[in-house]
Amino acid sequence: MGTVFSFDVRVAAESDTSRVQAALAAAVASLHHADETFSTYREDSQLSRLSRGELSLGDCVPEMAEVLQGCEEAEAESEGWFTTRYAGGLDPTGLVKGWAVQRAVRMLASSGADAVCLNGGGDIQLYGGPWRVGVSDPLRPGGLAAVIEAHRSLAVATSGPAERGCHILDPHTGRPPAAGIASMTVVCPGLTRADVRATAAYAMGDRARAWLEELPDTEGFAVSADGCTWQTSGFARHTAKLAA
Protein backbone atom coordinates (compact mmCIF):
# COMPACT_ATOMS: atom_id res chain seq x y z
CA MET A 1 0.00 0.00 0.00
CA GLY A 2 2.99 2.24 -0.42
CA THR A 3 3.58 2.87 3.26
CA VAL A 4 5.08 1.34 6.42
CA PHE A 5 3.13 -0.81 8.89
CA SER A 6 4.26 -1.49 12.44
CA PHE A 7 2.83 -3.83 15.08
CA ASP A 8 3.04 -3.57 18.87
CA VAL A 9 1.49 -6.72 20.39
CA ARG A 10 1.30 -7.35 24.14
CA VAL A 11 0.71 -10.82 25.57
CA ALA A 12 0.47 -11.86 29.22
CA ALA A 13 3.31 -14.12 30.37
CA GLU A 14 0.96 -17.05 31.00
CA SER A 15 -0.74 -16.81 27.58
CA ASP A 16 -0.25 -19.20 24.66
CA THR A 17 2.10 -17.12 22.56
CA SER A 18 2.10 -19.63 19.71
CA ARG A 19 -1.49 -18.71 18.86
CA VAL A 20 -0.63 -15.01 18.85
CA GLN A 21 2.45 -15.60 16.69
CA ALA A 22 0.34 -17.54 14.18
CA ALA A 23 -2.23 -14.74 14.17
CA LEU A 24 0.52 -12.17 13.62
CA ALA A 25 1.73 -14.07 10.56
CA ALA A 26 -1.85 -14.27 9.27
CA ALA A 27 -2.37 -10.55 9.90
CA VAL A 28 0.76 -9.65 7.93
CA ALA A 29 -0.35 -11.95 5.10
CA SER A 30 -3.78 -10.28 5.08
CA LEU A 31 -2.17 -6.86 4.58
CA HIS A 32 -0.16 -8.16 1.62
CA HIS A 33 -3.33 -9.74 0.21
CA ALA A 34 -5.17 -6.42 0.50
CA ASP A 35 -2.36 -4.67 -1.37
CA GLU A 36 -2.32 -7.29 -4.12
CA THR A 37 -6.12 -7.12 -4.48
CA PHE A 38 -6.81 -3.39 -4.25
CA SER A 39 -3.66 -1.68 -5.52
CA THR A 40 -4.28 0.98 -8.17
CA TYR A 41 -0.59 0.73 -9.15
CA ARG A 42 -0.53 -2.98 -9.96
CA GLU A 43 -1.93 -3.66 -13.41
CA ASP A 44 -2.75 -7.23 -12.41
CA SER A 45 -4.64 -6.40 -9.19
CA GLN A 46 -8.29 -7.37 -9.15
CA LEU A 47 -9.23 -3.72 -8.67
CA SER A 48 -7.31 -2.67 -11.80
CA ARG A 49 -8.82 -5.49 -13.81
CA LEU A 50 -12.30 -4.67 -12.49
CA SER A 51 -11.81 -1.01 -13.45
CA ARG A 52 -10.79 -2.03 -16.99
CA GLY A 53 -13.81 -4.29 -17.35
CA GLU A 54 -11.76 -7.48 -17.48
CA LEU A 55 -13.47 -8.85 -14.35
CA SER A 56 -17.00 -8.59 -13.04
CA LEU A 57 -17.61 -7.99 -9.35
CA GLY A 58 -18.75 -11.60 -9.07
CA ASP A 59 -15.37 -12.76 -10.38
CA CYS A 60 -13.51 -10.93 -7.60
CA VAL A 61 -12.74 -12.08 -4.08
CA PRO A 62 -15.62 -11.46 -1.61
CA GLU A 63 -13.65 -8.64 0.03
CA MET A 64 -14.06 -6.54 -3.12
CA ALA A 65 -17.83 -6.33 -2.70
CA GLU A 66 -17.39 -5.64 1.03
CA VAL A 67 -15.01 -2.75 0.41
CA LEU A 68 -17.06 -1.21 -2.40
CA GLN A 69 -20.20 -1.43 -0.25
CA GLY A 70 -18.33 0.34 2.53
CA CYS A 71 -17.29 3.06 0.08
CA GLU A 72 -20.88 3.58 -1.03
CA GLU A 73 -21.96 3.95 2.60
CA ALA A 74 -19.13 6.42 3.28
CA GLU A 75 -20.06 8.47 0.22
CA ALA A 76 -23.69 8.64 1.34
CA GLU A 77 -22.74 9.51 4.93
CA SER A 78 -20.42 12.31 3.80
CA GLU A 79 -22.79 13.59 1.09
CA GLY A 80 -20.16 12.96 -1.56
CA TRP A 81 -17.12 14.43 0.20
CA PHE A 82 -15.67 10.93 0.25
CA THR A 83 -15.87 9.21 -3.11
CA THR A 84 -14.12 6.46 -5.06
CA ARG A 85 -14.49 8.33 -8.36
CA TYR A 86 -12.99 11.76 -7.66
CA ALA A 87 -10.31 11.21 -10.33
CA GLY A 88 -12.63 9.66 -12.88
CA GLY A 89 -11.72 6.02 -12.18
CA LEU A 90 -12.49 3.54 -9.43
CA ASP A 91 -10.26 4.14 -6.41
CA PRO A 92 -11.41 2.77 -3.02
CA THR A 93 -7.96 3.08 -1.46
CA GLY A 94 -9.19 5.84 0.85
CA LEU A 95 -11.06 3.10 2.71
CA VAL A 96 -8.92 0.03 2.05
CA LYS A 97 -6.02 0.80 4.38
CA GLY A 98 -8.21 1.45 7.41
CA TRP A 99 -10.33 -1.61 6.62
CA ALA A 100 -7.24 -3.83 6.23
CA VAL A 101 -5.65 -2.57 9.45
CA GLN A 102 -8.84 -3.03 11.46
CA ARG A 103 -9.24 -6.57 10.11
CA ALA A 104 -5.63 -7.43 11.00
CA VAL A 105 -6.08 -6.20 14.57
CA ARG A 106 -9.25 -8.30 14.89
CA MET A 107 -7.20 -11.39 14.02
CA LEU A 108 -4.73 -10.67 16.80
CA ALA A 109 -7.42 -9.82 19.34
CA SER A 110 -9.21 -13.13 18.68
CA SER A 111 -5.94 -15.05 19.15
CA GLY A 112 -5.61 -14.00 22.78
CA ALA A 113 -3.40 -10.92 22.52
CA ASP A 114 -4.01 -8.62 25.48
CA ALA A 115 -3.30 -5.39 23.62
CA VAL A 116 -2.49 -4.46 20.03
CA CYS A 117 -1.38 -1.28 18.27
CA LEU A 118 -1.16 -1.45 14.48
CA ASN A 119 0.13 1.68 12.77
CA GLY A 120 -0.45 1.85 9.04
CA GLY A 121 1.25 4.93 7.65
CA GLY A 122 0.25 7.05 10.64
CA ASP A 123 -3.32 5.76 10.94
CA ILE A 124 -3.69 3.59 14.02
CA GLN A 125 -6.01 0.89 15.32
CA LEU A 126 -5.74 0.13 19.03
CA TYR A 127 -7.05 -2.81 21.04
CA GLY A 128 -6.78 -3.12 24.79
CA GLY A 129 -4.39 -0.74 26.43
CA PRO A 130 -3.31 1.50 27.88
CA TRP A 131 -1.93 3.37 24.86
CA ARG A 132 -0.76 6.91 24.19
CA VAL A 133 -0.78 8.14 20.59
CA GLY A 134 0.85 11.38 19.51
CA VAL A 135 -0.80 13.51 16.81
CA SER A 136 1.96 15.15 14.77
CA ASP A 137 1.98 18.92 14.50
CA PRO A 138 1.82 19.56 10.73
CA LEU A 139 3.40 23.01 11.13
CA ARG A 140 6.22 22.00 13.50
CA PRO A 141 8.12 18.92 12.30
CA GLY A 142 8.90 16.63 15.22
CA GLY A 143 6.33 18.33 17.45
CA LEU A 144 2.98 17.11 18.72
CA ALA A 145 -0.34 18.87 18.38
CA ALA A 146 -2.16 16.50 20.76
CA VAL A 147 -1.73 13.23 22.66
CA ILE A 148 -4.55 10.68 22.71
CA GLU A 149 -4.96 8.16 25.52
CA ALA A 150 -6.82 4.88 25.02
CA HIS A 151 -7.73 2.03 27.35
CA ARG A 152 -9.94 0.12 24.92
CA SER A 153 -10.50 -0.35 21.20
CA LEU A 154 -9.98 2.98 19.47
CA ALA A 155 -8.82 4.23 16.08
CA VAL A 156 -6.93 7.42 15.25
CA ALA A 157 -6.71 8.65 11.64
CA THR A 158 -5.12 11.86 10.38
CA SER A 159 -5.46 13.38 6.92
CA GLY A 160 -3.52 16.28 5.45
CA PRO A 161 -0.61 17.24 3.19
CA ALA A 162 2.20 17.30 5.78
CA GLU A 163 3.61 13.81 5.10
CA ARG A 164 2.66 13.04 1.49
CA GLY A 165 1.93 16.44 0.00
CA CYS A 166 -1.51 17.30 -1.31
CA HIS A 167 -3.12 13.95 -2.13
CA ILE A 168 -6.71 14.72 -1.07
CA LEU A 169 -8.82 16.74 -3.48
CA ASP A 170 -12.16 18.47 -3.19
CA PRO A 171 -14.33 15.99 -5.16
CA HIS A 172 -16.57 18.83 -6.33
CA THR A 173 -13.76 20.85 -7.93
CA GLY A 174 -10.99 18.30 -8.49
CA ARG A 175 -8.57 20.72 -6.78
CA PRO A 176 -7.00 20.92 -3.31
CA PRO A 177 -9.47 21.98 -0.60
CA ALA A 178 -9.75 25.74 -0.33
CA ALA A 179 -10.27 25.87 3.45
CA GLY A 180 -6.58 25.69 4.35
CA ILE A 181 -6.66 22.95 6.98
CA ALA A 182 -3.16 21.63 7.71
CA SER A 183 -4.36 18.38 9.29
CA MET A 184 -7.59 16.69 10.34
CA THR A 185 -7.60 13.94 12.98
CA VAL A 186 -10.61 11.73 13.66
CA VAL A 187 -11.05 9.36 16.60
CA CYS A 188 -13.66 6.59 16.68
CA PRO A 189 -13.79 2.88 17.57
CA GLY A 190 -12.81 1.44 14.16
CA LEU A 191 -10.21 2.59 11.63
CA THR A 192 -12.39 1.79 8.61
CA ARG A 193 -14.70 4.64 9.58
CA ALA A 194 -12.05 6.86 11.17
CA ASP A 195 -9.97 6.88 7.98
CA VAL A 196 -12.78 7.76 5.57
CA ARG A 197 -14.22 10.33 7.97
CA ALA A 198 -10.83 12.02 8.32
CA THR A 199 -10.49 12.13 4.53
CA ALA A 200 -13.98 13.56 4.03
CA ALA A 201 -13.56 16.04 6.90
CA TYR A 202 -10.27 17.30 5.51
CA ALA A 203 -11.90 17.87 2.13
CA MET A 204 -14.82 19.69 3.79
CA GLY A 205 -12.64 22.14 5.68
CA ASP A 206 -14.17 24.13 8.52
CA ARG A 207 -17.68 22.84 7.80
CA ALA A 208 -16.43 19.43 8.98
CA ARG A 209 -16.83 20.38 12.63
CA ALA A 210 -20.63 20.43 12.50
CA TRP A 211 -20.65 17.21 10.44
CA LEU A 212 -18.41 15.35 12.87
CA GLU A 213 -20.50 16.48 15.85
CA GLU A 214 -23.48 14.64 14.36
CA LEU A 215 -21.68 11.29 13.95
CA PRO A 216 -21.96 8.71 16.75
CA ASP A 217 -18.83 7.78 18.74
CA THR A 218 -16.72 10.15 16.61
CA GLU A 219 -14.57 13.13 17.56
CA GLY A 220 -12.31 15.40 15.53
CA PHE A 221 -9.34 17.73 15.95
CA ALA A 222 -8.09 20.12 13.26
CA VAL A 223 -5.01 22.28 12.83
CA SER A 224 -5.48 25.19 10.44
CA ALA A 225 -2.82 26.52 8.11
CA ASP A 226 -2.41 29.57 10.36
CA GLY A 227 -1.75 27.40 13.42
CA CYS A 228 -5.18 27.77 15.01
CA THR A 229 -6.94 24.60 16.17
CA TRP A 230 -10.48 23.45 16.77
CA GLN A 231 -11.98 20.27 18.18
CA THR A 232 -15.37 18.67 18.57
CA SER A 233 -17.12 18.82 21.91
CA GLY A 234 -16.07 15.36 23.11
CA PHE A 235 -12.51 15.22 21.81
CA ALA A 236 -10.95 16.31 25.11
CA ARG A 237 -12.02 13.11 26.86
CA HIS A 238 -9.56 11.19 24.67
CA THR A 239 -6.57 13.47 25.28
CA ALA A 240 -3.68 13.77 27.72
CA LYS A 241 -1.92 17.00 28.64
CA LEU A 242 1.09 17.91 26.52
CA ALA A 243 4.35 18.52 28.35
CA ALA A 244 5.34 22.16 28.49
Side-chain angles (χ1 to χ4, degrees):
M1 284 177 259
T3 190
V4 175
F5 290 77
S6 62
F7 291 80
D8 186 343
V9 183
R10 301 175 185 173
V11 185
E14 66 275 10
S15 298
D16 180 3
T17 58
S18 63
R19 286 189 61 208
V20 177
Q21 289 171 342
L24 177 58
V28 171
S30 77
L31 293 172
H32 285 293
H33 173 69
D35 183 45
E36 292 164 1
T37 301
F38 294 100
S39 174
T40 58
Y41 300 102
R42 296 172 182 251
E43 291 189 0
D44 62 344
S45 73
Q46 287 199 359
L47 178 66
S48 295
R49 296 175 65 197
L50 178 66
S51 298
R52 294 195 300 265
E54 297 170 7
L55 290 178
S56 69
L57 186 57
D59 294 326
C60 297
V61 294
E63 295 98 321
M64 184 68 71
E66 180 184 346
V67 163
L68 294 181
Q69 176 64 34
C71 289
E72 289 181 9
E73 293 170 0
E75 184 165 356
E77 178 184 77
S78 66
E79 298 183 347
W81 286 97
F82 176 90
T83 179
T84 63
R85 300 185 182 276
Y86 68 95
L90 177 62
D91 185 357
T93 52
L95 179 141
V96 166
K97 184 177 70 173
W99 167 84
V101 167
Q102 187 174 346
R103 183 176 65 161
V105 170
R106 256 194 322 263
M107 292 179 184
L108 285 158
S110 65
S111 75
D114 293 288
V116 182
C117 171
L118 177 46
N119 183 334
D123 295 325
I124 296 170
Q125 178 71 59
L126 305 169
Y127 167 76
W131 298 103
R132 287 167 63 91
V133 176
V135 177
S136 295
D137 187 333
L139 305 178
R140 191 166 55 94
L144 296 178
V147 174
I148 293 170
E149 289 188 333
H151 298 270
R152 55 183 176 81
S153 295
L154 196 69
V156 183
T158 298
S159 290
E163 297 295 329
R164 296 171 51 197
C166 184
H167 62 285
I168 299 173
L169 303 178
D170 181 332
H172 303 97
T173 66
R175 293 183 293 192
I181 286 184
S183 73
M184 181 74 237
T185 297
V186 169
V187 177
C188 69
L191 191 57
T192 307
R193 286 200 171 108
D195 205 1
V196 297
R197 287 172 178 174
T199 299
Y202 176 78
M204 287 180 192
D206 289 337
R207 73 188 76 186
R209 184 173 185 174
W211 178 66
L212 291 169
E213 291 280 11
E214 296 176 355
L215 298 175
D217 301 319
T218 302
E219 303 296 340
F221 171 78
V223 179
S224 299
D226 62 3
C228 295
T229 65
W230 58 257
Q231 62 189 50
T232 53
S233 56
F235 182 78
R237 73 173 182 267
H238 295 296
T239 61
K241 289 185 178 180
L242 284 170

